[in-house]
């Protein structure tokens, strides 16, 4: 990525060439990465991950966000990539079938037609990777995005706290899969982490993975509740050992949600697991990611720490609701030189 503005190019043409893909986003209804089968709970390996240097992580995050500057056409291309990595989400107490259909309509057409034309996208289709909803709306979402290649994710297991009986949580997963969800976002009981009850946590997640069947399992750690980066790292590793396809920061309901130091601790756990097993694990930050600038910070983190494969929806997602609107505003500024009001962009 170039760190210098390309003003001459921006003035001569607003056409953007999107980042090249290993696989076109949303081109197929199947996930392309070999699934993580998990491994036996290895407490020795877990013990080796206990030493976390918070100040070093924070310094690394500082260098990532200050050293890299993405401008002009490059910035627009990276923002288009951010759209293709979204789990467009509605998790409100007043959700309805109609609200979910509106979310899906926005997922199918995330950018205004005039912006698509001004950016010179031609036949390139830019859409979020998934829509994420509560269980009662899974069937509605499945019908609304049918044939588009957009995945349907269901939050499950007594979201957001995970404190229902395990049998109830497993039944909820099975019901969402039966309704057509092909991704399940589950939450862990945070008390198991505080008590270092790793075997119990491992066993629960393993049963959740079995209940998912062919649907992919995204394990939400609730990092804002876990208090320390050591807890975050160890919980991440146990989730991956138990067969998680993705590990995810937050429900979006905690007082502190996705932060870059927490994200760095989690992606380094992903790297350690890959070095140990050879399997690629996805990462999903969620909660508080609402501006285009913040989305670029996360993309830089993934590119620098894990490499190019983690800029694909098979291995990286944003949990987002309001992010898309700000990205649209930034793209309109790119082509027109003016910022638009939020109401000029259809809301999800």
């Amino acid at each position: 990525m170039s760190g210098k503005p390309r003003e001459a190019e921006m003035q001569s043409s607003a056409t953007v060439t999107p980042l090249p893909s290993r696989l076109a986003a949303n081109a197929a209804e199947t996930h392309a990465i070999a699934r993580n089968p998990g491994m036996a709970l290895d407490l020795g390996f877990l013990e080796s991950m206990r030493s976390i240097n918070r100040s070093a992580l924070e310094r690394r995050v500082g260098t990532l966000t200050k050293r890299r500057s993405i401008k002009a056409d490059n910035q627009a291309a990276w923002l288009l990539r951010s759209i293709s990595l979204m789990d467009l989400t509605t998790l409100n107490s007043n959700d309805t079938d109609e609200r979910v259909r509106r979310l899906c309509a926005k997922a199918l057409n995330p950018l205004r037609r005039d912006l698509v034309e001004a950016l010179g996208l031609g036949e390139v289709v830019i859409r979020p990777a998934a829509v994420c909803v509560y269980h009662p709306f899974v069937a509605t979402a499945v019908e609304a995005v049918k044939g588009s290649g957009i995945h349907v994710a269901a939050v499950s297991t007594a979201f957001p706290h995970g404190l229902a009986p395990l049998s109830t949580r497993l039944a909820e997963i099975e019901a969402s899969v039966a309704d057509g969800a092909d991704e399940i976002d589950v939450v862990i009981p945070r008390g198991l982490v505080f008590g270092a009850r790793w075997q119990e946590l491992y066993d629960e997640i393993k049963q959740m993975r079995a209940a998912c069947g062919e649907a992919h399992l995204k394990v939400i750690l609730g990092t804002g509740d876990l208090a320390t980066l050591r807890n975050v790292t160890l919980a991440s590793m146990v989730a991956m050992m138990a067969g998680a396809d993705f590990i995810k920061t937050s429900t979006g309901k905690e007082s502190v949600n996705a932060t870059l130091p927490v994200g760095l601790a989690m992606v380094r756990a992903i790297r350690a697991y890959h070095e140990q097993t050879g399997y690629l694990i996805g990462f999903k930050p969620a909660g508080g990611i609402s501006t285009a600038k913040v989305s670029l910070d996360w993309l830089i983190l993934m590119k620098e720490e894990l490499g190019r494969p983690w800029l694909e929806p098979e291995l990286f997602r944003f949990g987002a609701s309001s992010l898309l609107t700000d990205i649209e505003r930034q793209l309109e500024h790119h082509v027109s030189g003016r910022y638009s009001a939020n109401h000029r962009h259809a809301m999800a």
Side-chain angles (χ1 to χ4, degrees):
M1 297 181 293
S2 171
K4 297 180 180 180
R6 294 161 52 189
E7 299 297 337
E9 290 184 31
M10 182 174 65
Q11 291 171 4
S12 63
S13 173
T15 300
V16 171
T17 302
L19 291 172
S21 298
R22 293 181 304 124
L23 292 168
N26 315 109
E29 295 186 6
T30 58
H31 300 79
I33 300 297
R35 292 197 70 181
N36 170 34
M39 58 181 281
L41 180 63
D42 186 340
L43 296 178
F45 185 26
L46 204 61
E47 183 67 23
S48 73
M49 300 294 296
R50 288 180 58 83
S51 298
I52 307 297
N53 187 330
R54 173 181 282 274
S55 61
L57 289 177
E58 290 174 345
R59 285 196 302 272
R60 171 61 170 158
V61 165
T63 64
L64 286 174
T65 56
K66 293 175 183 177
R67 184 162 54 89
R68 295 294 187 185
S69 180
I70 305 173
K71 302 294 185 182
D73 283 357
N74 287 336
Q75 183 181 90
W78 282 72
L79 291 177
L80 292 172
R81 176 54 47 121
S82 291
I83 293 174
S84 74
L85 298 171
M86 283 185 197
D87 283 3
L88 198 58
T89 301
T90 181
L91 297 172
N92 300 310
S93 59
N94 60 350
D95 281 344
T96 63
D97 286 314
E98 191 53 42
R99 183 188 291 267
V100 169
R101 291 189 189 98
R102 177 178 174 178
L103 180 84
C104 295
K106 184 63 174 176
L108 291 168
N109 296 283
L111 296 173
R112 291 199 329 254
R113 174 51 53 185
D114 62 307
L115 278 181
V116 172
E117 293 172 355
L119 290 167
L121 294 179
E123 299 302 314
V124 176
V125 176
I126 303 293
R127 287 174 175 161
V131 293
C132 184
V133 298
Y134 280 118
H135 165 70
F137 308 107
V138 167
T140 298
V142 168
E143 180 62 28
V145 300
K146 186 176 181 179
S148 68
I150 297 173
H151 297 291
V152 175
V155 295
S156 195
T157 61
F159 180 92
H161 303 300
L163 296 178
L166 179 60
S167 59
T168 301
R169 288 180 277 147
L170 295 176
E172 187 178 4
I173 293 173
E174 292 167 352
S176 292
V177 172
D179 279 357
D182 63 345
E183 298 180 356
I184 304 293
D185 290 29
V186 305
V187 290
I188 64 169
R190 282 58 135 188
L192 298 183
V193 177
F194 291 129
R197 292 153 61 185
W198 305 124
Q199 186 67 58
E200 188 174 346
L201 178 61
Y202 174 89
D203 291 342
E204 285 202 3
I205 296 173
K206 199 168 182 63
Q207 290 181 69
M208 292 174 189
R209 163 65 190 273
C212 286
E214 295 302 312
H216 277 216
L217 174 66
K218 306 207 289 279
V219 177
I220 309 170
L221 304 182
T223 54
D225 293 339
L226 294 186
T228 68
L229 291 177
R230 174 180 293 172
N231 283 342
V232 169
T233 298
L234 298 181
S236 298
M237 192 58 68
V238 172
M240 290 185 285
M241 289 179 178
D245 297 294
F246 269 72
I247 52 175
K248 175 179 172 182
T249 59
S250 321
T251 64
K253 309 297 185 181
E254 295 91 11
S255 58
V256 177
N257 292 291
T259 66
L260 289 170
V262 162
L264 181 54
M266 292 176 71
V267 301
R268 288 188 171 176
I270 288 173
R271 188 167 65 200
Y273 186 83
H274 176 249
E275 291 170 352
Q276 181 79 3
T277 67
Y279 285 97
L280 308 179
I281 307 300
F283 176 59
K284 179 179 174 180
I289 303 174
S290 58
T291 67
K293 180 183 183 303
V294 171
S295 76
L296 294 178
D297 289 342
W298 283 100
L299 292 184
I300 291 168
L301 172 66
M302 301 308 292
K303 177 65 166 61
E304 292 281 326
E305 286 288 321
L306 292 179
R308 181 64 181 82
W310 272 267
L311 295 182
E312 298 292 338
E314 292 80 19
L315 288 174
F316 183 70
R317 304 284 182 83
F318 293 110
S321 53
S322 58
L323 173 60
L324 181 54
T325 298
D326 193 59
I327 289 178
E328 285 187 276
R329 293 180 67 247
Q330 297 300 326
L331 291 173
E332 180 157 349
H333 179 267
H334 176 75
V335 300
S336 70
R338 299 183 299 274
Y339 283 108
S340 61
N342 284 355
H343 67 259
R344 284 180 50 83
H345 304 278
M347 302 293 286

